Amino acid sequence: MKQSKRFLVLEDMEDVARNNCTFLQMIDPKARCEIVPSPQAAKDSLARHIPDLLVVDLMLDEKGEIDQKTSGVAFLHYVLCHHPHLNVLIYSTNPELAKQLSLNIEKHKGGFSIVDKMELRTAFIAGASTALLGEKRTPDSFVDAAY
């Protein structure tokens, strides 16, 4: 019997997070989707179990952070260093923030996709599917930054 997928969604906007889970369940209707609002909650969840796919918003409104851009990127760096085989989908209004980690992304052994929130939800599903297959899909500008 085929196991249902497990998804972990790091998103600080509750309605966006619920929509992410709804669209992920189009890939696997029986999937379990956990929503966490902060990088620390995501780290705690990853310590308990490794999902089939981690969805990360890079623009998090973290209380106590000097810049909302830093917590999501710092968490992504943590994932790339500590979970090299994890399938990751970056879903953010500012996906270019991940460019500073392009070398780490290039070396990452798990699936990895980047989708701008301004794109249609079909791009979200395609990005999730690509990452779940263990493949990479990043903007062309990331290839240039890695070298």
Side-chain angles (χ1 to χ4, degrees), residues 1 7 10 20-21 31 40 53 60 79 85 89 91 93 95 103 109 115-116 121-124 130 132 135-136 142:
M1 184 168 86
F7 302 124
L10 170 56
N20 288 349
C21 286
Q40 186 57 54
L53 179 69
L60 299 168
V79 167
H85 297 280
L89 169 61
Y91 186 60
T93 54
L103 284 173
K109 293 174 176 64
V115 177
D116 191 316
R121 277 296 185 156
T122 52
F124 175 88
T130 297
L132 282 165
E135 299 171 358
K136 284 195 175 76
F142 278 67

Side-chain angles (χ1 to χ4, degrees), residues 73-124:
V73 174
F75 175 72
L76 178 58
H77 185 259
Y78 166 84
V79 167
L80 294 171
C81 291
H82 293 91
H83 299 280
H85 297 280
L86 183 59
N87 296 322
V88 179
L89 169 61
I90 300 301
Y91 186 60
S92 184
T93 54
N94 194 352
E96 290 292 312
L97 290 172
K99 189 183 266 189
Q100 61 192 290
L101 299 175
S102 58
L103 284 173
N104 300 77
I105 293 168
E106 190 65 30
K107 294 176 186 175
H108 188 68
K109 293 174 176 64
F112 197 94
S113 291
I114 299 175
V115 177
D116 191 316
K117 282 186 178 177
M118 299 287 110
E119 293 185 53
L120 297 175
R121 277 296 185 156
T122 52
F124 175 88

Side-chain angles (χ1 to χ4, degrees), residues 6-103:
R6 293 180 79 149
F7 302 124
L8 177 61
V9 175
L10 170 56
E11 171 62 62
D12 59 340
M13 296 178 62
E14 191 175 328
D15 52 340
V16 174
R18 280 195 310 271
N19 284 336
N20 288 349
C21 286
T22 298
F23 280 89
L24 289 168
Q25 287 173 325
M26 290 179 180
I27 295 170
D28 181 356
K30 296 182 189 239
R32 293 175 53 191
C33 191
E34 179 184 359
I35 297 169
V36 292
S38 71
Q40 186 57 54
K43 286 180 184 179
D44 293 345
S45 181
L46 288 171
R48 288 189 305 274
H49 63 83
I50 299 298
D52 295 287
L53 179 69
L54 170 66
V55 179
V56 178
D57 179 7
L58 297 178
M59 297 289 292
L60 299 168
D61 187 16
E62 280 269 90
K63 291 170 180 44
E65 284 292 326
I66 295 169
D67 182 354
Q68 75 179 139
K69 298 174 184 177
T70 60
S71 64
V73 174
F75 175 72
L76 178 58
H77 185 259
Y78 166 84
V79 167
L80 294 171
C81 291
H82 293 91
H83 299 280
H85 297 280
L86 183 59
N87 296 322
V88 179
L89 169 61
I90 300 301
Y91 186 60
S92 184
T93 54
N94 194 352
E96 290 292 312
L97 290 172
K99 189 183 266 189
Q100 61 192 290
L101 299 175
S102 58
L103 284 173

